[in-house]
Amino acid sequence: MDWGNILELSMRELIGVQAIVFALAAIGINVQFGYTGLLNFGQAAFAAVGGYGIAVIVTTYDMSFWLGLVVAIAGAIVLALLLGIPTLRLRADYLAIVTIAASEIVRLVGRSASGREVFGGSDGITGFSNTFYDFNPFTEPVSFGPFEFRERVLWVLAVGWVLVALCTLTVWLLMRSPWGRVLKGIREDEDAVRSLGKNVYAYKMQSLVIGGVMGALAGVVYSLFQGAMQPDVYATNFTFFAYAILILGGAATVFGPVLGAAIVWFAFQFIDLALRGAIQQGYIPDWLMDSNDTGAVRFMLTGVVLVLLLVFRPQGILGDRREIALDAR
Amino acid sequence: MPADDDQRTPTSLTAKREAAVAALAGVPREPGAKKPDPILIADDVKRHFGGLLAVDVDHVEVQRGSITALIGPNGAGKTTFFNLLTGFDRPNSGSWSFNGRSLHGTPPFKVARAGMVRTFQLTKALSKLTVIENMRLGATGQRGETFWRALLPFTWRAQEREITGRAEDLLARFKLDTKRDDFAGSLSGGQRKLLEMARALMVGPELVMLDEPMAGVNPALTQSLLEHVSNLREQGMTVLFVEHDMDMVRDIADWVVVMGQGKILAEGPPDAVMSDHKVIDAYLGAHHDQSLAELEEQLESGTLAEQVAAELGQEPAETVVPERAAETGDGR
Ligand SMILES: Nc1ncnc2c1ncn2[C@@H]1O[C@H](COP(=O)(O)OP(=O)(O)O)[C@@H](O)[C@H]1O
Ligand SMILES: [Mg+2]
């Protein structure tokens, strides 16, 4: 087994596009769930709206890429308002139910045959990313030590990590401000915050909108990377993946979602390649598993790791143990 | 500043207390009595829960600058009445005004901003915020609480310093300054009550509504809590508070309102109301003039069980009585 190669390929995933996409989605969920206590189970819908925003405007309606970006973000804001207005006055579980349903509605409408003219059906939409790559300053592959990146990938990585950095900076600034203090108060007990003269409903709405916009950015980055907008990427497992990443990294921490995303995608690749290598070398007998099973097995192993983490480090990698101890009181 | 407060004992008649007592002297001792300078007036407030009429208040007024106690047995509707007045619950009918401004249908945050701030029977400390952050949250009109300004720390730094200073003064007064940077969730029950009260004061209220401020508080702390409550009047605030323990009410209240089964049953100065045997026996039970500590003592010696059994005309039931005592302990 070529451990050097396995490690190198895995290291690429540490900073890869998948890590960026899920970091963005998880940063958004962190604002909503980690800091405000809002259960948005429809982050996939926000990402899909982001992806469709660009794809539909550029490909279907043949309009400008920049307008597509604006529509992607405006679409996420509108979706957040649509979901939030009826539910944010109610108990927390209503938002959870409504968002998970909305997430499937967005996906199913996107892939429906009747909407094929606009949304491209289940095949999705392609051909909207040219403007983005026209701006690519990288003209040839670039190497960093053993790592070589093709110019297109490098451009996505550069833009993606800048977005991740900006979102992280925003969260950092917000959560050390009085505004962030109100959100954390709402997470702990919204009635107490109301009794202190804060408009809880307005704050929850702002939190939902901001987290949703970050979700939309995740969808934008992924669609541009793929050069295609495919609805089935944004099934509910997208959302739960982002949640798992957030909890692994540490909810309500500034860097938790980024760290979680990098580690998960690294681990996925590493486990997958290691298993394949072991099967090839005959270390793992055929009757136990063959190379087609590695995709499923890595999910199982990730699940086991998450369970172990929740048992031994429930606050996540970056979380504060003392906070979890308070819950037990 | 804290040193000054320590010297003031709650039983000594201060100028403010004298003024409050004098203002209430001519008020008739009957339910719904008109007060000379009411800060809060409620009319015909009703709240049904299914078939249960939990609150049915014809008329009640709270005198400005006084400490008014709202007493009554468990389930009398005191908490529900608080919830209605502060917008946390909606009445089936009724109207009320605060400082002459109608608050019917006003959401809780606007009620608080209007100057009417309440605490909760089940204390709501924000566990994963530190004590000082809990306090800062109470301040109103914070520039850094708007989204865009939050991103620009220089727009709110100065105000934050001012708020922190105010919060630290209050914490010192409530003897929580040593806990400044601890999580609120790590405080004891009594300290949480203190924190909740101090946090409410950060709002700068005119009327402070305390729902069972002494419930679940270690007896060593109750005396200082009482002092804090009477200090609110000294600082010009009006206090309306719910309490079970008659001794405490007698010590600090200028006026007592008795509630039972949703209605206002009696009103008057503490001694007058408490010596009204009709009120006592019918609505407070026969153990009204005992503190919980005394009840506990009796419980241990077994006399309470006998007494209760005698009243109920039954044999003493050892296993049942301790459970009931535990129930009243948490104040529901
Ligand atoms: N949300 C609710 N739903 C149904 N019944 C309630 C509710 N809240 C209070 N009650 C009932 O209303 C009555 C008054 O309760 P409460 O105001 O808590 O009394 P108190 O604070 O005086 O002990 C009780 O009988 C209680 O069971
Ligand atoms: Mg009550």
Side-chain angles (χ1 to χ4, degrees):
Chain A
M1 264 165 93
D2 183 355
W3 286 107
N5 190 38
I6 290 177
L7 208 60
E8 189 198 315
L9 287 172
S10 307
M11 293 293 269
R12 293 175 73 95
E13 290 297 314
L14 201 65
I15 55 153
V17 176
Q18 304 266 20
I20 292 170
V21 169
F22 281 92
L24 287 170
I27 294 171
I29 292 176
N30 196 25
V31 173
Q32 297 162 337
F33 169 71
Y35 289 104
T36 324
L38 297 176
L39 281 173
N40 168 22
F41 282 153
Q43 191 69 328
F46 288 95
V49 164
Y52 274 126
I54 288 205
V56 168
I57 290 295
V58 175
T59 302
T60 312
Y61 295 111
D62 207 16
M63 289 191 271
S64 114
F65 172 78
W66 304 107
L67 180 66
L69 261 185
V70 171
V71 168
I73 288 167
I77 295 173
V78 170
L79 180 62
L81 294 176
L82 277 177
L83 297 178
I85 286 169
T87 56
L88 288 181
R89 287 188 200 279
L90 307 173
R91 258 191 357 240
D93 22 0
Y94 288 89
L95 180 69
I97 295 165
V98 168
T99 47
I100 200 167
S103 144
E104 281 299 90
I105 290 171
V106 167
R107 186 175 68 89
L108 293 173
V109 167
R111 76 197 302 285
S112 69
S114 51
R116 177 173 286 271
E117 309 281 271
V118 180
F119 299 113
S122 57
D123 298 336
I125 306 177
T126 55
F128 51 84
S129 56
N130 291 340
T131 311
F132 175 72
Y133 290 107
D134 285 347
F135 282 94
N136 191 351
F138 305 104
T139 47
E140 52 196 41
V142 180
S143 311
F144 303 100
F147 305 108
E148 195 187 82
F149 292 99
R150 280 181 296 114
E151 54 272 29
R152 272 174 73 96
V153 176
L154 204 60
W155 180 225
V156 178
L157 291 182
V159 172
W161 281 110
V162 166
L163 280 177
V164 171
L166 285 177
C167 289
T168 305
L169 178 70
T170 305
V171 169
W172 180 72
L173 281 172
L174 286 175
M175 295 313 158
R176 58 206 288 279
S177 77
W179 187 87
R181 183 161 63 219
V182 177
L183 291 202
K184 291 179 228 169
I186 291 170
R187 176 191 67 197
E188 297 303 305
D189 193 319
E190 57 179 80
D191 277 345
V193 177
R194 280 197 183 96
S195 77
L196 298 173
K198 318 292 176 196
N199 185 351
V200 167
Y201 180 67
Y203 281 98
K204 285 195 201 172
M205 191 65 85
Q206 292 173 46
S207 169
L208 191 64
V209 167
I210 292 158
V213 167
M214 291 175 178
L217 292 178
V220 167
V221 171
Y222 197 62
S223 304
L224 290 176
F225 171 66
Q226 297 271 295
M229 168 63 210
Q230 287 163 319
D232 290 335
V233 170
Y234 304 103
T236 47
N237 58 359
F238 179 96
T239 302
F240 293 115
F241 227 72
Y243 266 93
I245 280 166
L246 174 64
I247 288 161
L248 177 91
T253 64
V254 172
F255 292 104
V258 184
L259 186 70
I263 288 178
V264 160
W265 287 103
F266 169 85
F268 264 16
Q269 182 75 341
F270 186 81
I271 294 171
D272 195 51
L273 293 172
L275 286 174
R276 277 173 203 279
I279 290 168
Q280 231 163 32
Q281 302 284 316
Y283 297 148
I284 298 177
D286 271 348
W287 57 262
L288 191 60
M289 107 186 164
D290 64 36
S291 53
N292 295 325
D293 299 330
T294 58
V297 170
R298 67 179 185 175
F299 278 111
M300 289 162 56
L301 288 176
T302 313
V304 171
V305 169
L306 267 177
V307 170
L308 290 176
L309 183 89
L310 289 180
V311 171
F312 293 107
R313 204 176 160 80
Q315 71 273 35
I317 296 170
L318 294 179
D320 185 338
R321 175 120 230 168
R322 292 179 307 158
E323 292 192 7
I324 298 293
L326 290 176
D327 290 336
R329 281 171 70 98
Chain B
M1 195 170 150
D4 295 346
D5 291 341
D6 288 344
Q7 259 128 55
R8 204 181 288 132
T9 59
T11 40
S12 77
L13 280 187
T14 62
K16 295 265 187 186
R17 177 157 202 185
E18 274 176 36
V21 171
L24 289 163
V27 175
R29 289 147 191 208
E30 62 190 27
K34 297 252 186 302
K35 310 289 180 332
D37 181 16
I39 190 170
L40 180 73
I41 305 173
D43 276 299
D44 192 32
V45 180
K46 286 194 173 62
R47 177 68 166 107
H48 295 269
F49 290 116
L52 174 78
L53 189 53
V55 169
D56 181 13
V57 170
D58 282 338
H59 185 84
V60 71
E61 298 186 358
V62 174
Q63 167 72 9
R64 188 188 309 276
S66 71
I67 298 183
T68 303
L70 181 61
I71 64 173
N74 281 326
K78 307 179 297 290
T79 298
T80 309
F81 190 47
F82 262 38
N83 289 345
L84 295 173
L85 292 177
T86 50
F88 281 86
D89 192 6
R90 304 217 160 197
N92 298 91
S93 70
S95 64
W96 59 96
S97 65
F98 172 70
N99 269 335
R101 173 183 159 190
S102 169
L103 286 184
H104 179 91
T106 308
F109 76 94
K110 286 192 181 157
V111 173
R113 286 183 193 174
M116 184 166 147
V117 176
R118 57 95 51 100
T119 64
F120 296 86
Q121 180 171 351
L122 299 170
T123 321
K124 294 185 184 300
L126 305 167
S127 303
K128 288 178 198 170
L129 265 57
T130 59
V131 168
I132 188 76
E133 285 283 84
N134 264 269
M135 293 294 289
R136 287 180 182 133
L137 184 65
T140 48
Q142 295 191 43
R143 283 192 279 278
E145 283 183 357
T146 37
F147 177 75
W148 294 110
R149 291 216 198 93
L151 293 168
L152 308 169
F154 63 86
T155 60
W156 48 263
R157 277 267 162 73
Q159 192 190 28
E160 181 89 346
R161 265 194 297 277
E162 180 263 316
I163 288 168
T164 306
R166 207 147 55 84
E168 282 168 346
D169 285 350
L170 271 170
L171 285 180
R173 187 132 64 82
F174 282 75
K175 302 214 169 55
L176 287 170
D177 41 346
T178 52
K179 303 281 177 187
R180 185 186 188 278
D181 298 309
D182 292 359
F183 283 122
S186 71
L187 300 181
S188 73
Q191 288 170 328
R192 284 183 211 203
K193 286 270 179 200
L194 282 172
L195 174 60
E196 197 184 20
M197 201 189 296
R199 192 178 62 195
L201 298 185
M202 284 297 290
V203 184
E206 275 183 73
L207 172 62
V208 185
M209 299 172 61
L210 307 168
D211 198 348
E212 303 204 14
M214 330 292 178
V217 174
N218 152 10
L221 260 178
T222 52
Q223 197 55 33
S224 88
L225 249 164
L226 278 180
E227 284 172 36
H228 289 306
V229 174
S230 35
N231 277 339
L232 301 182
R233 178 184 50 207
E234 295 308 310
Q235 288 154 19
M237 285 174 250
T238 308
V239 180
L240 176 64
F241 78 110
V242 171
E243 185 49 58
H244 280 297
D245 192 322
M246 295 305 123
D247 293 334
M248 314 226 172
V249 171
R250 211 184 323 244
D251 268 355
I252 62 166
D254 307 315
W255 193 258
V256 177
V257 176
V258 186
M259 238 180 132
Q261 299 183 346
K263 293 189 168 55
I264 306 289
L265 300 172
E267 275 193 47
D271 290 329
V273 165
M274 271 161 227
S275 55
D276 181 342
H277 270 277
K278 212 170 57 191
V279 169
I280 295 163
D281 292 341
Y283 305 107
L284 304 179
H287 306 289
H288 64 95
D289 50 358
Q290 296 166 325
S291 73
L292 266 182
E294 283 172 59
L295 279 174
E296 261 164 42
E297 238 167 64
Q298 289 194 6
L299 187 64
E300 273 155 30
S301 65
T303 48
L304 183 64
E306 282 163 28
Q307 227 173 298
V308 170
E311 275 166 32
L312 299 173
Q314 293 167 345
E315 292 291 296
E318 245 78 327
T319 48
V320 175
V321 175
E323 271 175 27
R324 299 189 114 223
E327 253 169 48
T328 47
D330 73 13
R332 269 305 277 203

